[in-house]
Amino acid sequence: MAGKVKWVTDIEKSVLINNFEKREWVQVTENEDWNFYWMSIQTIRNVFSVDTGYRLSDDQLVNHFPNHYELTRKDLMIKNIKRYRKELEKEGSPLAEKDENGKYIYLDFVPVTFMLPADYNLFVEEFRKNPSSTWIMKPCGKAQGKGIFLINKLSQIKKWSRDSRTSTYKLGFCRFCTVKYTPSTSELDNMFVHLTNVAIQKHGDDYNHVHGGKWTVSNLRLYLESTRGKEVTNRLFDQIHWIVVQSLKAVAPMMNNDKHCFECYGYDIIIDDKLKPWLIEVNASPSLTSSTANDRILKYNLINDTLNIVTPNGDIPDCRWNRSPPREALGNYQVLYDEEQAQSENAERELRNRSGQSLGSKVTKGGAGVRPGAATWK
């Protein structure tokens, strides 16, 4: 399509603007005709608002889905994952299988979670089963560690009693606290022990401005392979990929799959001492601020690879495109799940079953057994 892409953003970050300028796209204002708008989650509400919103044309693309909050609000994420589990149980899906203790074998990837104040009585019941445990309280709609605190007594929370194609970016990073973790109750209020957010850690005395308290995922992998073994490490990353796919499938029925939209989510996953990953939350607008030189390179490449996928060859968007890029165009993205391929395989399996042929089940090893599933989840 002839012409230059006209872009606008309300997020003034160099990793964005440098990528737009590299492609020789033309900057315009939001009141002019635009093709590509990288916007904040506050702005997306206005774009799709019944009262103030407007109809997007086929040559316009934005970086959020209308109701991304079904995954990125902590309370809705948990609600949707719980609903997903129940639906799979009703269907008799092997994914909903439980162990002898009643825990999900393949879908146990979020910590025990309650929404307060609605679930207060259930929370009290669970708390009294393990009165020595520590719980983390996280506001549903805030970020950067704001409003988070830890409790180990009920009295501390009395005020609360009132089409998908999925890819993961291989060049992520892991964050660390500047103070060594301790479960001691005397450190419950020390956020430098419990929260890895840069917005918190950068104020600590031991914060390192060179590496920013971060490792690249590749360095984390090398460390784990050398200390815990390659097989265990591979299983960990396989489980992380599984979490990403299953969390997105959990919210898929609730999402407005608007053809003008794409999304770059930021997954927060914590790894316990047994190398089991747990999903903490999903961010709709992962930070594009660069706190170190390596940080800037990683995020620049992330935006570059993202733009190569959603605007092939840097052309003006056309929402009638088939947005399935060739493998060489993915850059550092790795396809985890292809719904079109999955549907094709399911149709083939159904056809063979009807004809009396056994297709055989392809399986992937999980942490608690052998996880059933099609090859297309990864």
Side-chain angles (χ1 to χ4, degrees):
M1 187 177 291
K4 297 284 187 180
V5 173
K6 298 175 183 177
W7 66 271
V8 59
T9 184
D10 59 355
I11 303 176
E12 297 293 324
K13 299 297 181 183
S14 62
V15 293
L16 280 174
I17 296 171
N18 290 347
N19 266 293
F20 298 152
E21 292 177 346
K22 181 184 82 167
R23 289 165 170 77
E24 298 183 349
W25 290 358
V26 179
Q27 184 176 11
V28 296
T29 67
E30 61 181 35
N31 297 320
E32 299 177 84
D33 289 335
W34 53 266
N35 306 116
F36 190 94
Y37 198 152
W38 193 290
M39 59 182 66
S40 65
I41 54 177
Q42 290 78 18
T43 302
I44 200 70
R45 294 192 190 106
N46 296 329
V47 169
F48 289 106
S49 167
V50 175
D51 300 321
T52 61
Y54 53 93
R55 188 179 184 86
L56 296 176
S57 61
D58 283 343
D59 64 351
Q60 291 183 308
L61 201 61
V62 297
N63 65 310
H64 290 296
F65 288 99
N67 60 337
H68 61 84
Y69 47 79
E70 293 286 351
L71 181 63
T72 58
R73 267 187 66 99
K74 302 171 188 68
D75 54 342
L76 294 180
M77 179 190 79
I78 292 296
K79 177 182 176 181
N80 284 315
I81 289 175
K82 287 181 177 179
R83 175 191 50 76
Y84 177 61
R85 288 167 167 172
K86 289 179 180 178
E87 288 180 353
L88 290 175
E89 280 189 70
K90 288 181 181 178
E91 296 170 3
S93 171
L95 291 180
E97 185 180 346
K98 295 181 180 180
D99 63 17
E100 62 275 8
N101 297 316
K103 288 188 176 182
Y104 289 99
I105 296 177
Y106 309 116
L107 299 175
D108 180 32
F109 54 76
V110 290
V112 176
T113 304
F114 299 94
M115 273 79 77
L116 302 184
D119 294 340
Y120 180 73
N121 290 334
L122 292 173
F123 169 69
V124 170
E125 183 180 342
E126 181 67 26
F127 186 93
R128 286 173 175 163
K129 290 179 183 176
N130 300 282
S132 62
S133 58
T134 298
W135 293 76
I136 185 167
M137 312 296 291
K138 293 173 70 72
C140 292
K142 293 186 179 181
Q144 296 183 326
K146 296 174 183 174
I148 296 177
F149 60 98
L150 279 72
I151 65 129
N152 63 345
K153 296 178 182 177
L154 287 175
S155 59
Q156 295 169 298
I157 58 162
K158 280 297 181 184
K159 62 179 181 178
W160 290 82
S161 59
R162 314 177 294 270
D163 165 35
S164 175
R165 175 181 282 236
T166 303
S167 304
T168 184
Y169 201 65
K170 293 182 285 188
L171 302 184
F173 56 81
C174 54
R175 298 186 307 215
F176 297 88
C177 291
T178 54
V179 180
K180 187 176 181 179
Y181 173 77
T182 172
S184 170
T185 56
S186 64
E187 295 288 356
L188 282 184
D189 295 329
N190 187 348
M191 293 299 101
F192 297 121
V193 173
H194 300 288
L195 299 182
T196 62
N197 306 69
V198 174
I200 301 291
Q201 294 295 328
K202 67 182 181 181
H203 299 294
D205 294 335
D206 297 321
Y207 180 72
N208 187 308
H209 292 273
V210 177
H211 57 64
K214 298 177 183 178
W215 278 4
T216 63
V217 166
S218 58
N219 281 347
L220 171 66
R221 187 160 198 152
L222 286 172
Y223 171 77
L224 292 176
E225 286 178 355
S226 63
T227 58
R228 306 292 286 270
K230 192 166 185 176
E231 182 179 350
V232 173
T233 302
N234 286 342
R235 186 183 304 126
L236 165 65
F237 282 91
D238 181 58
Q239 290 175 332
I240 291 174
H241 294 160
W242 177 256
I243 288 173
V244 173
V245 172
Q246 295 304 315
S247 62
L248 289 169
K249 292 182 76 172
V251 302
M254 313 299 295
M255 297 293 287
N256 295 330
N257 191 12
D258 193 296
K259 62 183 180 179
H260 303 92
C261 308
F262 68 96
E263 197 86 48
C264 184
Y265 293 119
Y267 272 71
D268 282 359
I269 291 175
I270 191 169
I271 303 170
D272 67 19
D273 57 349
K274 297 178 182 176
L275 289 194
K276 177 177 173 60
W278 298 91
L279 176 61
I280 303 301
E281 63 180 336
V282 182
N283 298 297
S285 292
S287 173
L288 295 178
T289 300
S290 304
S291 56
T292 67
N294 287 335
D295 209 22
R296 185 181 186 283
I297 293 170
L298 184 152
K299 292 174 180 178
Y300 176 88
N301 288 332
L302 166 67
I303 299 301
N304 181 60
D305 290 344
T306 302
L307 295 180
N308 286 340
I309 292 174
V310 300
T311 58
N313 303 316
D315 292 335
I316 292 176
D318 186 340
C319 291
R320 296 166 295 183
W321 280 338
N322 174 10
R323 290 196 199 138
S324 295
R327 189 169 297 276
E328 59 270 16
L330 294 175
N332 285 295
Y333 275 103
Q334 174 187 2
V335 176
L336 299 182
Y337 181 80
D338 188 325
E339 190 170 42
E340 184 177 340
Q341 184 183 348
Q343 290 173 348
S344 174
E345 290 186 358
N346 287 339
E348 181 184 357
R349 186 178 295 106
E350 179 68 19
L351 181 62
R352 294 192 184 186
N353 287 341
R354 287 182 180 179
S355 63
Q357 298 179 28
S358 176
L359 180 64
S361 59
K362 198 160 189 174
V363 295
T364 306
K365 288 192 176 181
V370 179
R371 177 167 61 242
T376 45
W377 86 265
K378 183 175 180 181

